[in-house]
Amino acid sequence: MHPNPIFRQTPEARNIAFARAQAFGMLAVGVEGAPLLAHVPFLLTEDGAVAEFHLVRSNPIARALSAPLCARLAVVGPYSYVSPDWYGAEDQVPTWNYVAVHLVGEVELRPEDELRDLLDRQSAHFEDQLLPKAPWTSDKMTPDVMARMMRQIVPCRMRVDEIHGTWKLNQNKDDDVRLRAADAVEASGMGVEVGALAALMRDAKG
């Protein structure tokens, strides 16, 4: 996370809302050697206290969870390269603007009898966002196929002890400089959701 405190003033409620809306992140756990990583869709409670997800049983993180592990779930939003030329001001350097929220806590395996409920709640969460499409439900699966799939995955829960958000949106620049950069990001940015990032830049205040 960026160390400049000006990029880390976002209220916790907004960080939680962002993470809940994204609902997809990179889970990292520390083990001997390089950290283990997994990309996971997740459900986050309204208060940000608990994240739930599942892992493939053969995933190295799942195999390492014979006991709870400290973990970080990194949730990334829009981002883009920002050229110094876009500021219309002297003595600027290249940078990247971005939004990211990290959830830090302890991950544990959950009993297998919790898996079906978790899967149903996860699919309902994402299917609801596709309305008016008729939602997919697990009842559409052949029971034997569903049971076979469920044997391949395990339910997990993360108790969230810390939430850290970085909203790096040129808050450290004068308003006119930041707004020029936002226009250029929207027109020519390279990254993900550059239009959304430009909108956030326009709303940002130092």
Side-chain angles (χ1 to χ4, degrees), residues 19-31:
R20 294 187 76 227
Q22 294 294 106
F24 189 84
M26 183 168 64
L27 178 71
V29 300
V31 296

Side-chain angles (χ1 to χ4, degrees), residues 168-203:
K168 186 173 179 294
L169 305 167
N170 286 141
Q171 302 96 313
N172 56 332
K173 308 291 185 187
D174 291 339
D175 286 351
D176 59 333
V177 173
R178 174 173 45 79
L179 294 174
R180 282 194 295 268
D183 290 344
V185 164
E186 185 168 41
S188 306
M190 62 177 77
V192 171
E193 295 184 283
V194 295
L197 182 67
L200 289 171
M201 291 170 63
R202 293 187 183 105
D203 289 340

Side-chain angles (χ1 to χ4, degrees), residues 98-119:
Y98 62 93
V99 176
V101 171
H102 288 190
L103 311 175
V104 182
E106 190 173 79
V107 172
E108 63 177 359
L109 291 178
R110 298 297 299 166
E112 293 189 10
D113 61 8
E114 295 183 7
L115 180 58
R116 181 63 178 265
D117 175 67
L118 170 61
L119 295 177

